[in-house]
């Protein structure tokens, strides 16, 4: 019987696991939050992942559990482990992707380079940090933020007053130094339960309005030192936190030549979409291999350069499907991936990958093909 992999969450990441699961002979099953979600093709259950009974019913029919996102509560994850369910990544690792304060403290213990930071519980503590760090800083809600949400640049202790007012007793916000960075990078690694690790090339990510818009793989003009440090950071975090599956480490390259960890994701990640078409083993196949404890695949790029452009928002008139023919005819080297989502301003509804020998040409083709879906 085929190994049954259960994915909690029915978004586009689960959707993009479907094809490699078929190719690997795995039986992919999805617990979707609602009907009609991106991964509906593989949805065998629909329900609330906050409900232990719903999740327990779903996992009875799978051999291993993994995730489309990091939002499943710790008490549910630990109940599954106590029930003897194979959960990858497990709750001991996922807690550091779910809570940025826990992440910062654990990375400090591991000696991983990161911005200066502190927990702050009120405006006075925030002001004290600002006074020690040039009068500007970044405040983050420790849990639940993504794509720029839950992040705020502040200049005064009162600038996060509404967030402080909403804190429960004993909770804190995270404040970090405002890093002077020249670009953002991402390092992906995959790790099996037995410890085998495979690293992908470090890539450059381009953000617009807090959302990843473009990825250049590998990162252009990356020195040997940068490449080595990024991989060392990725490997040390995967091992130190006991991550199983794909790990994405978002990084800052600073104007004083530091490489600092920004955030973590323990699943396939937007920064790795290029690998679907640009690497020997794409991140979605690699994640399935890792969580199923199968030998990991080669992460070598297939071409000197790969470019990923996100399709954000989608067309105001008509559907994404209406735009395929023109994009394909105009740019036959572009690989177009859509998520089965209705267009909405700012929403990630698909992406385009282009690989080739010339970076400027790949960027041009990918942007032009993606523009057909505006």
């Amino acid at each position: 019987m085929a190994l049954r992999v259960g994915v909690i969450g029915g978004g586009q990441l689960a959707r993009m696991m479907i094809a490699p699961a078929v190719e690997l002979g795995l039986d992919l099953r999805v617990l979707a939050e609602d009907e009609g979600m991106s991964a509906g093709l593989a949805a065998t259950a629909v329900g609330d992942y906050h409900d232990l009974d719903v999740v327990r019913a779903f996992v009875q029919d799978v051999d291993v559990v993994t995730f489309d996102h990091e939002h499943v509560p710790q008490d549910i994850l630990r109940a599954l482990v106590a029930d003897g369910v194979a959960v990858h990544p497990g709750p001991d690792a996922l807690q550091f992707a779910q809570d940025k304060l826990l992440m910062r403290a654990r990375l400090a213990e591991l000696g991983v380079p990161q911005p200066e930071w502190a927990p702050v519980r009120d405006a006075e503590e925030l002001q004290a940090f600002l006074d020690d760090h040039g009068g500007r800083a970044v405040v983050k809600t420790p849990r639940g933020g993504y794509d720029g949400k839950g992040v705020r640049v502040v200049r005064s202790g009162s600038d996060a007053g509404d967030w402080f007012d909403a804190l429960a007793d004993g909770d804190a916000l995270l404040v970090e130094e405002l890093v002077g960075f020249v670009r953002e990078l991402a390092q992906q690694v995959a790790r099996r339960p037995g410890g085998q690790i495979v690293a992908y090339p470090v890539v450059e990510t381009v953000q617009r309005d807090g959302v990843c818009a473009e990825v250049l793989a590998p990162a252009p003009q990356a020195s040997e030192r940068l490449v080595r440090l990024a991989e060392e950071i990725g490997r040390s975090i995967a091992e130190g936190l006991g991550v199983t599956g794909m790990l994405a480490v978002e990084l800052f390259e600073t104007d004083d030549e530091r490489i600092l960890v920004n955030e973590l994701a323990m699943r396939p990640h937007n920064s790795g979409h290029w690998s679907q078409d640009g690497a020997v083993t794409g991140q979605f196949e690699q994640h399935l291999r890792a969580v199923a404890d199968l030998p990991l695949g080669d992460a070598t790029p297939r071409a000197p350069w790969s470019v990923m452009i996100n399709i954000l928002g989608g067309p105001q008139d008509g559907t994404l499907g209406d735009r395929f023919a023109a994009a394909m005819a105009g740019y036959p080297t572009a690989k177009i991936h859509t998520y089965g989502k209705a267009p909405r301003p700012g929403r990630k509804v698909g992406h385009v990958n282009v690989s080739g020998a010339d970076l400027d040409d790949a960027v041009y083709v990918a942007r032009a093909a993606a523009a057909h879906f505006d």
Side-chain angles (χ1 to χ4, degrees), residues 43 62 86 103 134 184 212 292:
V62 302
M103 176 196 75
E184 295 186 65
C212 180

Side-chain angles (χ1 to χ4, degrees), residues 64-90:
V64 60
V65 172
T66 190
F67 309 95
D68 172 81
H69 55 70
E70 292 104 343
H71 305 313
V72 181
Q74 278 284 310
D75 59 345
I76 289 181
L77 297 174
R78 295 190 182 278
L80 296 183
V81 172
D83 291 344
V85 178
V87 179
H88 296 299

Side-chain angles (χ1 to χ4, degrees), residues 81-295:
V81 172
D83 291 344
V85 178
V87 179
H88 296 299
D92 287 344
L94 269 173
Q95 63 180 330
F96 300 112
Q98 293 176 331
D99 190 309
K100 295 179 179 66
L101 280 169
L102 289 179
M103 176 196 75
R104 287 291 181 219
R106 181 63 180 133
L107 294 186
E109 292 174 352
L110 293 174
V112 172
Q114 54 183 341
E116 294 186 26
W117 65 279
V120 288
R121 295 168 181 81
D122 53 41
E124 289 73 22
E125 290 185 352
L126 175 55
Q127 188 61 56
F129 187 93
L130 286 165
D131 292 344
D132 290 338
H133 293 85
R136 298 176 70 202
V138 177
V139 174
K140 298 179 179 180
T141 54
R143 304 178 66 87
Y146 66 97
D147 285 348
K149 299 177 177 65
V151 178
R152 185 180 295 177
V153 176
V154 299
R155 295 171 175 80
S156 166
S158 61
D159 287 348
D162 54 332
W163 284 0
F164 286 124
D165 290 343
L167 287 177
D169 288 344
D171 286 348
L173 300 176
L174 170 64
V175 62
E176 299 174 354
E177 66 170 307
L178 188 63
V179 173
F181 62 89
V182 295
R183 60 176 171 173
E184 295 186 65
L185 305 168
Q187 174 66 59
Q188 282 194 306
V189 298
R191 182 175 180 271
R192 289 173 67 185
Q196 181 193 9
I197 292 179
V198 169
Y200 285 80
V202 64
V203 303
E204 179 176 344
T205 64
V206 179
Q207 317 292 319
R208 295 198 183 99
D209 299 324
V211 178
C212 180
E214 302 184 359
V215 174
L216 309 178
Q221 299 178 325
S223 66
E224 290 184 10
R225 171 184 172 273
L226 186 155
V227 171
R228 174 177 53 80
L229 283 177
E231 182 170 336
E232 288 176 356
I233 289 169
R235 287 177 176 271
S236 65
I237 292 174
E239 292 173 342
L241 303 187
V243 178
T244 46
M246 289 298 304
L247 167 70
V249 183
E250 297 181 54
L251 301 162
F252 294 127
E253 181 180 6
T254 71
D255 51 16
D256 56 0
E257 298 185 341
R258 292 181 294 166
I259 305 297
L260 305 177
V261 174
N262 180 19
E263 296 189 356
L264 306 178
M266 298 179 188
R267 51 172 169 77
H269 188 256
N270 203 163
S271 65
H273 288 354
W274 70 273
S275 67
Q276 277 181 291
D277 307 296
V280 173
T281 308
Q283 67 165 345
F284 298 100
E285 176 184 341
Q286 197 78 287
H287 184 72
L288 291 170
R289 285 178 178 237
V291 302
D293 205 15
L294 297 169

